[in-house]
Every structure is written in C-alpha cells, then in structure tokens.
Amino acid sequence: MGEEKFLLGNVDDGITNTEVRDEFKLCNVYAKDKCRDCFARFYCSGGCAANSYNFHGSILDAYDIGCEMQKKRIECAIMIKAALAE
Ligand code: SF4
C-alpha cells in the first residue's frame, strides 16, 4: 500500500499493470532461493512480500528476522504437540 510501483489498476479499467501482476503471480515459495531448503517453507509459504521488498528491494527475497521468528514458532508448536502426546 502506498507504493505507486505496485498500482495494478482501478475499479473502472481493471488491471492495467500486467507486468506487476505477472511478477506477483510468479512470486511463491518455489521461486525464492532462500526458501528452497527451509524446513518451514510449506508452513510460511515464503513470508511477507512487503517485508521482502522493503528490506531487500525485491519481493523474491525473504525478510530474515521474520524467517527466524517463523521457524522458532514452528519449532515451539512441534515441541508443544510432542509434549502433549506423551
Ligand atoms: S521461514 Fe523464511 S526462508 Fe523459510 S520458507 Fe519462510 S520466508 Fe522462506
């Protein structure tokens, strides 16, 4: 929001910026190098595109602090589930 670069179009004309639409269409966990070997990839799906853009200038990167928090949350969830199963 507030980034003119990402303006896709408007209600009257529909999508006018197909280049950005296609960039986002191809932005997923399989397209991100950092996510390729990450154990959390199917839980987080590649993280927040806005954070990636704001910290690295590309939606195809990942926000590193967010990654660490996401992985820690998943580790804790698995640990709790395992403890409850005992
Ligand atoms: S935690 Fe980070 S590296 Fe792992 S899948 Fe999510 S965005 Fe990608």
Side-chain angles (χ1 to χ4, degrees), residues 31-42:
K32 298 184 171 200
D33 289 339
K34 280 184 183 170
C35 304
R36 196 154 290 138
D37 297 321
C38 176
F39 80 91
R41 64 188 177 279
F42 298 125

Side-chain angles (χ1 to χ4, degrees), residues 4 22-23 30 35 41 44 50 55 59 62 65 69 75 83 85:
E4 288 291 319
D22 291 344
E23 185 182 352
Y30 295 108
C35 304
R41 64 188 177 279
C44 116
F55 281 90
I59 63 169
I65 294 173
M69 292 192 307
E75 286 172 4

